[in-house]
Amino acid sequence: MLDPAATGVFEGPPAVGAAAINAFAGLLAGPDADADVSDAERIDRITALENLKDAAAAAQAKASAALDASIRVGRAAAGVPKDRCGRGIAKQIGLARRQSPHRGGLLLGVAKALVNEMPHTLKALETGRLNERRASILVSETLCLRREDRARVDEELAGNQTRLNGLGDKALTAEAKRMAYRLDPHSVVNRAAKAEADRHVSARPEPDTMVSVRTLLPVVQGVAVMAALNREADRLRNAGDPRSRGQAMADTVFERLTGASTADPARTEIQLVMTDRALLQGDSEPVWLTGYGIVPAQYARDLIRLPYTPPAKTGPPGAEQKAPPAGTEPGWKTARDEARQARMKTLRVGGVEDVWIRRLFTAPGTGQLLGMDSKARKFPDGLRRMIMARDASCTGPWCDAPIRHIDHIVAWSEGGETTLSNGRGLCEECNYAHEAEGWSARTVGGPAHSVATTTPTGHVYTSTAPPLPGASTPEPEWHERTPSDQPERQTREAWETGEAGVGHVAGRLTGKMERRRAQRRRRARLMSRPHTLQASG
């Protein structure tokens, strides 16, 4: 046996437990003991930490592949059908890595490929010559190859340190594609043909109440779409349209897909969850827009505001007509009904024709919905809507997927009731994973609706529904500000001398916000006091 201290080659390190790893992580998270080192030493430390991250990623891959194999063997021995032996494994890995089940499945697939088919890529990841992202690129670009061809790419590319050194993501992707096409061109062509089956449309929330709609198309169709949009934008610009090219292209997409102009109403459903104070009293409490997230209260009020169109004046210019007293003119009831119907037909709500308000009552202080119960196993439509409004997205930890299923926390077969507190919204992947053996869930007491999920290995993960508008939050301590607390003169002098910074601006804005909030609270106290009328002497 070789001496590791003399050769630097270790035949196999001893097993390192989770406690030792956590202890070492705690050392890294401690205070910086190298405050007086040189910049060159700091660079060396950054490089060493990067190598440590890569080695940890390789260790995670080996542990994930071993977990998958162990669970499958155990379930097969227990007589579980083969197509169900792997159910829930990706979700366990996702929970352990604080990722969604979908992301956990991708990480598991990469881990199994590295451990079972690509030993050189795994070695390069362990030694820091590849990071986790670039190892995933090699796995993805060789996915269509046969096992022996994949092993050749692994050996020739990842096993050659000189060839691998200095390659970025794009260069590594191009090199892997070139080698894959050289070894098996037919599989690469078939992969491109199969990729057309994955075409889809997705939406993703963006900042400032915007959303990006992404369309995955075959390259020919994608180029044709962009060419058509460019031609339409050029035509509009040449005709004097004041919109920019990007604005014209975006509006053209909306108009051609919906068949309506951006200035015309579109019949669609937009769900806003807001308090009556934000709707009717101008409160600034944020609003939840289903499918997007938090939006400002004023933006929500603008969506549901009915524009006022003043009545057209009749008669000669300058002549003022005095209207008869209300309820005395001939046919006033018919005119009132017709005017009401006309208003309903021309109702405009942020580009939406009809407005429906559904009241959801929440408990004071906690903000939890006060819901309905059902004796049936299936959640009724009203209860489903309440659960979806409360949970907003999949309640699985670290999962932001849209809600597809309404599931019982305690299963109906185990005595669980069809109630608001025993229901939760899940995506398909989370719901199917919980059907595997060994999974359980229970509600956790507290001001918000929380669920504790227990995995087959005994680990417990807790998820909490987001706070609805109206839930109480601890308010900061307010105090009356004196003129000495607001150095307006000093701030103005700082601006004039060019010495003002972010702190001056933040201080002024914070002071104004505090004063406005204090005024609103005083008005609310005055409005809540009982008013009495006292007769004068």
Side-chain angles (χ1 to χ4, degrees), residues 16 48 97 326 343 345 374 479 509:
V16 180
R97 299 193 61 171
R343 287 197 303 271
K345 290 181 179 180
S374 174
H479 62 277
L509 292 178

PDB file of all heavy atoms in Angstrom, residues 16 48 97 326 343 345 374 479 509:
ATOM      1  N   VAL A  16     -17.242  10.595   5.701  1.00  0.00           N
ATOM      2  CA  VAL A  16     -17.417  11.835   6.462  1.00  0.00           C
ATOM      3  C   VAL A  16     -18.902  12.008   6.719  1.00  0.00           C
ATOM      4  O   VAL A  16     -19.702  12.074   5.784  1.00  0.00           O
ATOM      5  CB  VAL A  16     -16.843  13.042   5.700  1.00  0.00           C
ATOM      6  CG1 VAL A  16     -17.033  14.307   6.513  1.00  0.00           C
ATOM      7  CG2 VAL A  16     -15.378  12.807   5.375  1.00  0.00           C
ATOM      8  N   ALA A  48      -9.527  28.105  -3.608  1.00  0.00           N
ATOM      9  CA  ALA A  48      -9.681  26.911  -2.783  1.00  0.00           C
ATOM     10  C   ALA A  48     -11.142  26.670  -2.412  1.00  0.00           C
ATOM     11  O   ALA A  48     -11.620  25.523  -2.410  1.00  0.00           O
ATOM     12  CB  ALA A  48      -8.826  27.039  -1.520  1.00  0.00           C
ATOM     13  N   ARG A  97     -31.842  19.529  -0.978  1.00  0.00           N
ATOM     14  CA  ARG A  97     -31.029  20.574  -1.578  1.00  0.00           C
ATOM     15  C   ARG A  97     -31.769  21.904  -1.661  1.00  0.00           C
ATOM     16  O   ARG A  97     -31.327  22.825  -2.334  1.00  0.00           O
ATOM     17  CB  ARG A  97     -30.561  20.132  -2.971  1.00  0.00           C
ATOM     18  CG  ARG A  97     -29.698  18.879  -2.954  1.00  0.00           C
ATOM     19  CD  ARG A  97     -29.011  18.649  -4.275  1.00  0.00           C
ATOM     20  NE  ARG A  97     -28.127  19.741  -4.634  1.00  0.00           N
ATOM     21  CZ  ARG A  97     -27.278  19.710  -5.669  1.00  0.00           C
ATOM     22  NH1 ARG A  97     -27.199  18.629  -6.422  1.00  0.00           N
ATOM     23  NH2 ARG A  97     -26.520  20.745  -5.939  1.00  0.00           N
ATOM     24  N   ALA A 326     -85.322  65.292 -10.137  1.00  0.00           N
ATOM     25  CA  ALA A 326     -85.185  63.862 -10.367  1.00  0.00           C
ATOM     26  C   ALA A 326     -86.473  63.146  -9.988  1.00  0.00           C
ATOM     27  O   ALA A 326     -87.087  63.419  -8.957  1.00  0.00           O
ATOM     28  CB  ALA A 326     -84.029  63.305  -9.539  1.00  0.00           C
ATOM     29  N   ARG A 343     -74.214  51.514 -19.024  1.00  0.00           N
ATOM     30  CA  ARG A 343     -72.994  51.549 -18.210  1.00  0.00           C
ATOM     31  C   ARG A 343     -72.389  50.160 -18.061  1.00  0.00           C
ATOM     32  O   ARG A 343     -71.173  49.988 -18.105  1.00  0.00           O
ATOM     33  CB  ARG A 343     -73.286  52.157 -16.835  1.00  0.00           C
ATOM     34  CG  ARG A 343     -73.509  53.648 -16.845  1.00  0.00           C
ATOM     35  CD  ARG A 343     -73.370  54.219 -15.445  1.00  0.00           C
ATOM     36  NE  ARG A 343     -74.274  53.588 -14.493  1.00  0.00           N
ATOM     37  CZ  ARG A 343     -75.521  54.008 -14.249  1.00  0.00           C
ATOM     38  NH1 ARG A 343     -75.989  55.076 -14.886  1.00  0.00           N
ATOM     39  NH2 ARG A 343     -76.280  53.379 -13.363  1.00  0.00           N
ATOM     40  N   LYS A 345     -72.615  47.713 -20.165  1.00  0.00           N
ATOM     41  CA  LYS A 345     -72.040  47.282 -21.436  1.00  0.00           C
ATOM     42  C   LYS A 345     -70.715  47.962 -21.721  1.00  0.00           C
ATOM     43  O   LYS A 345     -69.848  47.399 -22.368  1.00  0.00           O
ATOM     44  CB  LYS A 345     -73.022  47.568 -22.580  1.00  0.00           C
ATOM     45  CG  LYS A 345     -74.253  46.668 -22.558  1.00  0.00           C
ATOM     46  CD  LYS A 345     -75.170  46.992 -23.735  1.00  0.00           C
ATOM     47  CE  LYS A 345     -76.395  46.091 -23.731  1.00  0.00           C
ATOM     48  NZ  LYS A 345     -77.303  46.402 -24.871  1.00  0.00           N
ATOM     49  N   SER A 374     -66.959  20.691   4.003  1.00  0.00           N
ATOM     50  CA  SER A 374     -67.706  19.825   3.104  1.00  0.00           C
ATOM     51  C   SER A 374     -67.685  18.414   3.660  1.00  0.00           C
ATOM     52  O   SER A 374     -66.696  17.984   4.254  1.00  0.00           O
ATOM     53  CB  SER A 374     -67.099  19.851   1.697  1.00  0.00           C
ATOM     54  OG  SER A 374     -67.747  18.905   0.861  1.00  0.00           O
ATOM     55  N   HIS A 479     -42.697  57.581  16.997  1.00  0.00           N
ATOM     56  CA  HIS A 479     -42.516  58.654  17.956  1.00  0.00           C
ATOM     57  C   HIS A 479     -42.711  59.978  17.236  1.00  0.00           C
ATOM     58  O   HIS A 479     -42.506  60.081  16.036  1.00  0.00           O
ATOM     59  CB  HIS A 479     -41.118  58.603  18.593  1.00  0.00           C
ATOM     60  CG  HIS A 479     -40.002  58.777  17.607  1.00  0.00           C
ATOM     61  ND1 HIS A 479     -39.522  57.732  16.847  1.00  0.00           N
ATOM     62  CD2 HIS A 479     -39.283  59.865  17.244  1.00  0.00           C
ATOM     63  CE1 HIS A 479     -38.544  58.165  16.065  1.00  0.00           C
ATOM     64  NE2 HIS A 479     -38.384  59.451  16.276  1.00  0.00           N
ATOM     65  N   LEU A 509     -37.033  60.569   2.766  1.00  0.00           N
ATOM     66  CA  LEU A 509     -38.178  59.764   2.365  1.00  0.00           C
ATOM     67  C   LEU A 509     -38.789  59.024   3.553  1.00  0.00           C
ATOM     68  O   LEU A 509     -40.003  58.940   3.691  1.00  0.00           O
ATOM     69  CB  LEU A 509     -37.747  58.763   1.296  1.00  0.00           C
ATOM     70  CG  LEU A 509     -37.357  59.371  -0.051  1.00  0.00           C
ATOM     71  CD1 LEU A 509     -36.909  58.272  -1.009  1.00  0.00           C
ATOM     72  CD2 LEU A 509     -38.521  60.146  -0.651  1.00  0.00           C
TER      73      LEU A 509
END
